[in-house]
Amino acid sequence: MEIHEGRMPYLGYETYYRVAGRSAGGKTPLVLLHGGPGSTHNYFEVLDALAEADSRQLVMYDQLGCGGSWAEAEGLWTMETWLNELEALREHLGLEEVHLLGQSWGGMLLLEYICTRHPAGVKSIVLSSTLPSSRMWGEEQHRMIRFLPPEMQRAIARAEATGDYTGADYQAAEAEYMLRHAAGPVPPDGPECLLRPRRQGRTSYVEAWGPNEFTPAGALRDFDVTELLRDIRQPALIISGGNDLCTPYVAKYMYDHIPNARWELFRDCRHMCFVEDTPRYIDLLREWLNIHD
C-alpha cells in the first residue's frame, strides 16, 4: 500500500501529515483527527487496513504541538489554532470532499468545525469516544471516580483542592482510573505503531484541557456545542465503548440531539475502540463510508 508523508507550513512551524492509500471508484477520503490535545496520529495507523480493503484514502496528521508537528509557544493552544490548521490542511491537500473522524479531543475539534465554520464538502462525520461539552465530560468523569477505592477518591479530591498533582497517591489513583477507562499497556507483540516512540504534547494538553481527564481547566474549559447539535446536517456515526471515558450518557446525548445519527456501542472496549476491536471498527467504518459516499 502506498504511504505518502509530507509537511505543511503553518504559523511558522510545520504540520506533519500522512496519507495512506488512494481513493478509487469515486470514494471520498477519510480525514482523521486524533485525541489529546497532543496525542499524535500514531494509533490511527491500525486503520491502514481500511485504506487497502476499501480502496479509500486515509489522511492523518499530527496536530500542531505534538509528534512531527512539534511546537512550543505561549498562546498557541486554543481551538482557533487547530480549527485553522484543519482548514489549511484541507486546502493544502486539495480535499474538497471528505468524511471526517474525530476521536476524543479530535471529536471536539470536529464538532466545533462543523457547528461554527459550516464547512462545505463534508459528506459524513464519525464521532468516536468524544464529547459535546467540557462541563458534561468533567461531571461524568467525577461520577465514575466514585467507583474507585475510597483512598483513591480521597487522593484525587486532595489534588483537586490543592492544585498539587505530583503526589504518588494521586498519580496511582489517576493511573488506575485511566487503566479502567482509557487504555492499558501495549503488549510486546502489539501493533508497531503503538509501540513506536512518540513525542506527546504535554504542554498543549495541559494548557488547552487541564491536568487530567477529569479537570477541564484550560482554554477548552468552556467548550460547549450542545445547543448546536440539532443543526448538524451531515450523517453522524457515534462510537463509544462500554468502559469508555465517553460514558453512555455522553454518547447518548449526542445520539439524541444530532438529527441524522447512529450510535454503535462497543461493549467491551475502553476509550480507543479502534485499537481494542480493530476488525469490528474497520468493518463498521467500511459500511458507513460506503453508504454515505
Side-chain angles (χ1 to χ4, degrees):
M1 181 178 60
E2 180 179 341
I3 302 292
H4 171 69
E5 297 176 290
R7 294 182 178 277
M8 175 189 74
Y10 183 62
L11 296 182
Y13 301 97
E14 289 184 320
T15 296
Y16 164 85
Y17 59 86
R18 177 184 183 274
V19 181
R22 290 177 175 270
S23 288
K27 294 189 175 182
T28 303
L30 173 66
V31 179
L32 301 114
L33 312 178
H34 67 69
S39 290
T40 81
H41 82 280
N42 292 37
Y43 57 5
F44 281 145
E45 292 184 27
V46 301
L47 299 176
D48 280 357
L50 173 65
E52 192 163 20
D54 198 36
S55 300
R56 186 183 303 278
Q57 190 174 79
L58 304 187
V59 179
M60 51 195 80
Y61 67 104
D62 289 342
Q63 299 158 19
L64 195 67
C66 67
S69 307
W70 189 256
E72 282 197 339
E74 291 185 7
L76 271 182
W77 314 123
T78 66
M79 181 68 79
E80 292 299 304
T81 291
W82 290 302
L83 282 174
N84 293 339
E85 182 183 36
L86 174 56
E87 289 186 333
L89 187 70
R90 284 190 66 186
E91 182 176 356
H92 182 77
L93 295 177
L95 298 170
E96 295 183 4
E97 291 190 327
V98 294
H99 299 281
L100 293 177
L101 184 155
Q103 192 265 342
S104 195
W105 142 251
M108 296 170 63
L109 176 60
L110 190 165
L111 284 170
E112 185 78 13
Y113 181 56
I114 292 294
C115 291
T116 67
R117 300 270 173 117
H118 309 291
V122 178
K123 289 191 170 182
S124 79
I125 60 176
V126 181
L127 302 168
S128 189
S129 299
T130 190
L131 56 145
S133 161
S134 297
R135 176 198 54 78
M136 181 189 298
W137 188 263
E139 289 175 353
E140 279 294 275
Q141 306 316 304
H142 280 86
R143 181 183 62 80
M144 292 200 296
I145 285 170
R146 296 201 297 269
F147 293 98
L148 291 173
E151 65 273 14
M152 289 187 172
Q153 295 182 48
R154 290 191 291 269
I156 290 172
R158 281 195 302 271
E160 291 187 318
T162 63
D164 180 3
Y165 297 95
T166 62
D169 55 350
Y170 162 77
Q171 292 180 3
E174 183 191 20
E176 175 62 23
Y177 185 83
M178 296 300 281
L179 177 64
R180 293 185 183 194
H181 302 296
V186 181
D189 62 346
E192 183 276 333
C193 62
L194 303 180
L195 294 166
R196 183 191 317 148
R198 62 194 178 105
R199 195 175 189 184
Q200 296 188 73
R202 181 64 184 173
T203 299
S204 59
Y205 178 84
V206 172
E207 292 194 10
W209 179 256
N212 52 47
E213 278 302 307
F214 31 86
T215 312
L220 299 171
R221 62 187 176 275
D222 295 323
F223 167 78
D224 189 337
V225 294
T226 52
E227 295 301 314
L228 302 177
L229 297 179
R230 63 178 180 269
D231 298 324
I232 293 175
R233 293 294 170 258
Q234 291 85 358
L237 174 61
I238 297 157
I239 301 172
S240 66
N243 297 310
D244 203 333
L245 294 168
C246 173
T247 64
Y249 173 81
V250 176
K252 187 175 186 299
Y253 189 96
M254 293 185 288
Y255 172 69
D256 286 344
H257 291 81
I258 297 174
N260 187 10
R262 171 183 172 184
W263 177 23
E264 290 287 336
L265 179 67
F266 284 57
R267 181 180 178 183
D268 296 324
C269 292
R270 288 168 289 185
H271 194 48
M272 291 177 285
C273 302
F274 54 93
V275 169
E276 296 194 329
D277 195 348
T278 305
R280 179 186 169 193
Y281 198 98
I282 287 176
D283 286 346
L284 176 61
L285 283 186
R286 187 174 184 179
E287 175 200 357
W288 173 264
L289 297 172
N290 280 286
I291 290 172
H292 296 290
D293 269 337

